[in-house]
Amino acid sequence: MTFTQWFLFFLLVQIIHFAGTWKLYQKAGRQAWEAAIPIYNAVILMKIINRPWWWVILLFIPIVNLIMFPVIWVETIRSYGRHSTTDTILAIITLGFYIYYINYATDVKYIEDRSLKPRTAAGEWISSILFAVIAATIVHTYVMQPFTIPTASLEKTLLVGDFLFVSKFHYGARLPRTAVAFPMVHDTIPVLGVKSYLTKPQIPYLRLPGFEEIERNDIVVFNWPVDTVNAFQQYGDGKYYYKPIDKKSNYVKRAVGIPGDSLEVRAGKVVVNNEPLQLPGRAKTQFTYIGTTNGQGFNPRYLYEEYDITDGYYHNPNTNQFYIKALTEDAYNRIKNHPNVTSIERYSDSLGSKDRSIFPNNGKLNWNNDYMGPIYIPEEGVTIDLTAESMPFYKRIIETYEGSEMGINNKLSLNGTQVLLNGQPVNSYTFKQNYYWMMGDNRHNSEDSRTWGFVPENHVVGKPVFVWMSWDANAQGFFNKIRWDRVFTTVKGDATPTSYLPYFLIIVVILIAFNYFKKRRKNA
C-alpha cells in the first residue's frame, strides 16, 4: 500500500469509529463531534476509559497496535459496565464491531470512576503479560534486537555461537513493512512452523533518523536480498514463497564497499577505489589451504586447540593430501612449520576462470570468488549509463529493489543492444537508494555479495554492538563451552575484545546490597 492508500484507510477507520461510538461519547459527557476528529478522538477516548493519553501513541506503532486495538475495545465496553467474559470475547472476535451493538441497541450507563484493577487473578496475569509483550516488542523493533551468529562467515571476528545485541537506532530504526505479524518472531512461528505474518497490507518504507551512516568495514545485520522461504521450513517440497523485505532471513556480514565505491577482488583480497581494503585490527581474514603431509595426519581436536581450526579438515591417507577449509594467516605461519607438513599453500581460483555462481550470474564474465570486478556500488541520486553490458549488474535493482518491492512494475529487456525499460528505450538510470557490498571475513566459506550482489539500504536491519554470551559447541565440559573472554564484549574495535562481565557483576552485587540494607533500614 502507498502512503495515499494508507491515508484513505486511516480516514475510513475514523468514519467507522465515529459511527460506532458517538452515542457512547455523549453518555460519557462529551460531544458527539469529538468522536469524529482524528487523533483528538483517541485522546478523548483515553479520558473516557480512564487510561493515559500516551496510549494513543501505541495505536500508531506497527505490530504494537495489533495488541492495543483489542485492549481498547475491551476497555471501552467495560467503561459502560460490560465486564462479562462473553462481552470480552464478542468485542475481540467481532474486531470491535460489538461496540456498535452497545452503542445503538443497549441502554448502558457510563461508569466514571470504575476500578482499573482486574477482577480476577487470571485477568491480572493477562494484563501483565500483554504490556510486557508490548514493551518487549517496542524494544525489539525499534531499539535493540538479540541475534545469534549461525555461520562461520565472519570467523574469527564474530564466532559461531556468539549471542549479540543488534542496535536498531545507530543507522535509524526501520518501521516494519508487514502491518500484520506475530510479535517478536521472524518469518515463522516457533513450534508451529507456520508463516508468522500476512503478506498484505504492506507499510511503505520508512526509517527513523539514526546518528551515524554505515561506514566501510562496519559489521551489519541485514535482510538477505534474494531470500525466499521453502514452504516455511518444510525443506524438500519444492515450494517457494515470496517474502516481504522485513521477513527475509537475517544475515550478518562486513560492509567492504559503500555507496559510490568501485570494488574489485584480486587473489581473494578486496581492493576499493584502487586501494587495498584496510581491515580493522580485530578482523582476521581466513582462506582455504591445501597441502601434503609426510604420511602422518592430524587429530581434529589438536587442530582446534592449537590452531583454532573450526571450519573443517580433511586428510587423504592414500595421497597424503590435506585440506583446511578456513585458516588465518597467523595459523598458517605456525602450521607450515609443523613436522608433519611437507607443503601447504593457499587455495585460489585462477585469474580468468569462470564461475557461473558469481554475480551477476550470467556466465559471461571470467569472474570467480578470488578474482572479480571492478564493479560500481550504486549511490542514491547518481545516474549511470544503462547499456547492454551494464544492464546485468543493475537489472535486479531496477526491477525488484526499486521496482516490485516499491510497488512499481519495472521490466528491463534488450532490443539488440538497446536497453528497454517497460518497452521504452533508455540510455541511463538514476538510483533511488544507496547500496552496499557485504562480504564475510572467511573468504572461502561465505555466501555473500560475490554470489547475490548488492544489499539495498532498505534491507539494513542494524548494527551489532555487544556480545552478551558466547557458546563454543566444540569445547568439552559445560563451563568450558562458555567463552568467558567474549562474554560482555563490544563488537567494534581494533584491540583484543575486553570483557566487561566483572564490572557488570560488581554493579549487580552493589545493587543487591543497596536494596537489602534499604529494606532492613525501612523495617527497623
Side-chain angles (χ1 to χ4, degrees):
M1 293 175 66
T2 64
F3 281 107
T4 300
Q5 290 170 328
W6 274 107
F7 179 71
L8 294 175
F9 175 74
F10 173 73
L11 292 182
L12 176 62
V13 170
Q14 302 308 308
I15 294 170
I16 293 172
H17 173 77
F18 172 75
T21 60
W22 64 273
K23 278 191 173 184
L24 298 181
Y25 274 65
Q26 287 183 321
K27 289 182 178 182
R30 310 299 304 195
Q31 300 297 317
W33 61 264
E34 291 182 289
I37 308 301
I39 302 178
Y40 175 76
N41 56 10
V43 174
I44 297 303
L45 182 60
M46 294 308 112
K47 292 182 179 181
I48 291 173
I49 66 176
N50 201 20
R51 293 298 185 178
W53 67 268
W54 51 263
W55 275 28
V56 176
I57 299 174
L58 300 181
L59 295 176
F60 290 90
I61 300 177
I63 307 303
V64 171
N65 54 16
L66 299 179
I67 304 171
M68 288 303 302
F69 279 121
V71 171
I72 298 299
W73 300 333
V74 172
E75 289 289 294
T76 299
I77 63 173
R78 288 180 177 177
S79 295
Y80 293 88
R82 296 290 181 141
H83 290 278
S84 72
T85 302
T86 301
D87 287 319
T88 300
I89 293 173
L90 286 172
I92 294 173
I93 66 174
T94 63
L95 302 181
F97 282 98
Y98 181 60
I99 295 174
Y100 271 68
Y101 169 77
I102 305 296
N103 189 57
Y104 290 106
T106 64
D107 185 23
V108 293
K109 295 187 181 299
Y110 174 61
I111 305 173
E112 185 173 0
D113 297 319
R114 73 182 179 96
S115 173
L116 299 180
K117 185 177 180 179
R119 298 190 173 192
T120 64
E124 185 81 42
W125 274 99
I126 291 171
S127 178
S128 298
I129 291 171
L130 277 177
F131 284 97
V133 170
I134 289 170
T137 300
I138 292 173
V139 172
H140 183 274
T141 306
Y142 300 98
V143 183
M144 199 76 70
Q145 176 182 343
F147 185 83
T148 306
I149 298 295
T151 67
S153 68
L154 280 171
E155 297 259 351
K156 303 300 181 180
T157 308
L158 292 178
L159 311 182
V160 174
D162 278 352
F163 293 82
L164 308 176
F165 283 134
V166 176
S167 164
K168 300 292 186 71
F169 55 84
H170 274 75
Y171 304 138
R174 182 186 61 185
L175 266 65
R177 298 294 302 274
T178 48
V180 181
F182 199 85
M184 291 191 302
V185 301
H186 197 53
D187 64 328
T188 307
I189 298 177
V191 181
L192 299 179
V194 297
K195 188 169 68 170
S196 65
Y197 59 91
L198 297 182
T199 303
K200 293 182 179 180
Q202 287 282 296
I203 300 172
Y205 171 67
L206 181 64
R207 188 180 292 276
L208 301 177
F211 62 83
E212 68 177 54
E213 302 289 335
I214 295 177
E215 298 178 353
R216 194 178 297 112
N217 284 326
D218 275 359
I219 295 176
V220 181
V221 173
F222 57 92
N223 297 116
W224 184 29
V226 298
D227 189 25
T228 57
V229 63
N230 181 275
F232 296 92
Q233 316 310 323
Q234 303 300 314
Y235 297 109
D237 64 1
K239 298 178 181 178
Y240 288 84
Y241 297 89
Y242 160 79
K243 295 173 75 174
I245 291 172
D246 58 329
K247 294 303 178 182
K248 294 179 179 181
S249 298
N250 288 327
Y251 268 35
V252 58
K253 308 286 181 186
R254 189 182 299 279
V256 297
I258 59 176
D261 281 346
S262 176
L263 182 141
E264 297 178 67
V265 179
R266 302 174 186 168
K269 302 296 182 69
V270 177
V271 178
V272 180
N273 302 326
N274 287 320
E275 296 289 338
L277 179 68
Q278 300 298 319
L279 291 170
R282 197 178 292 185
K284 296 179 176 64
T285 54
Q286 293 192 107
F287 297 92
T288 294
Y289 283 80
I290 56 176
T292 57
T293 69
N294 59 5
Q296 298 294 319
F298 299 95
N299 183 297
R301 170 62 54 180
Y302 170 79
L303 292 178
Y304 166 71
E305 294 176 350
E306 288 295 318
Y307 303 104
D308 198 20
I309 295 173
T310 55
D311 282 19
Y313 157 77
Y314 172 75
H315 176 246
N316 187 333
N318 297 322
T319 63
N320 292 331
Q321 290 183 318
F322 68 89
Y323 165 93
I324 299 175
K325 197 170 186 179
L327 194 65
T328 64
E329 186 173 358
D330 174 69
Y332 158 73
N333 288 327
R334 290 189 292 116
I335 200 172
K336 70 180 182 181
N337 296 318
H338 192 280
N340 288 2
V341 174
T342 57
S343 70
I344 183 172
E345 62 179 5
R346 196 178 85 195
Y347 170 82
S348 176
D349 289 330
S350 302
L351 175 63
S353 66
K354 185 183 298 184
D355 186 343
R356 293 184 64 89
S357 69
I358 296 299
F359 182 79
N361 316 108
N362 61 359
K364 294 181 179 180
L365 299 171
N366 295 328
W367 288 10
N368 53 60
N369 256 329
D370 292 300
Y371 291 93
M372 64 175 299
I375 187 169
Y376 172 74
I377 302 170
E379 182 177 7
E380 181 181 2
V382 171
T383 301
I384 60 159
D385 293 332
L386 199 54
T387 64
E389 290 74 27
S390 65
M391 190 182 85
F393 296 102
Y394 308 112
K395 188 174 191 292
R396 185 172 179 85
I397 286 178
I398 297 169
E399 290 187 341
T400 303
Y401 305 148
E402 300 188 1
S404 59
E405 290 184 343
M406 291 187 174
I408 301 171
N409 293 320
N410 280 341
K411 180 64 179 177
L412 275 184
S413 59
L414 276 177
N415 182 12
T417 58
Q418 175 65 59
V419 179
L420 304 178
L421 177 57
N422 301 324
Q424 300 299 315
V426 292
N427 298 311
S428 63
Y429 182 81
T430 303
F431 297 109
K432 296 180 176 64
Q433 63 177 317
N434 288 322
Y435 292 83
Y436 301 88
W437 193 264
M438 305 289 188
M439 287 177 61
D441 294 346
N442 198 340
R443 293 288 193 254
H444 290 144
N445 191 22
S446 173
E447 184 183 286
D448 49 39
S449 286
R450 290 171 294 179
T451 302
W452 31 257
F454 308 106
V455 174
E457 188 169 46
N458 63 4
H459 284 57
V460 171
V461 174
K463 180 177 184 175
V465 293
F466 197 69
V467 179
W468 62 271
M469 177 64 175
S470 188
W471 182 260
D472 184 358
N474 293 315
Q476 296 178 331
F478 177 81
F479 287 103
N480 288 336
K481 288 183 181 293
I482 300 175
R483 301 184 183 105
W484 295 102
D485 60 330
R486 295 186 64 80
V487 175
F488 277 66
T489 61
T490 57
V491 171
K492 191 173 182 178
D494 283 334
T496 302
T498 300
S499 175
Y500 294 93
L501 180 60
Y503 305 100
F504 172 77
L505 295 177
I506 290 171
I507 293 172
V508 169
V509 170
I510 291 173
L511 289 175
I512 292 174
F514 175 78
N515 287 329
Y516 172 76
F517 287 110
K518 184 179 179 181
K519 287 181 180 179
R520 282 194 61 181
R521 187 173 180 180
K522 185 177 180 180
N523 296 330

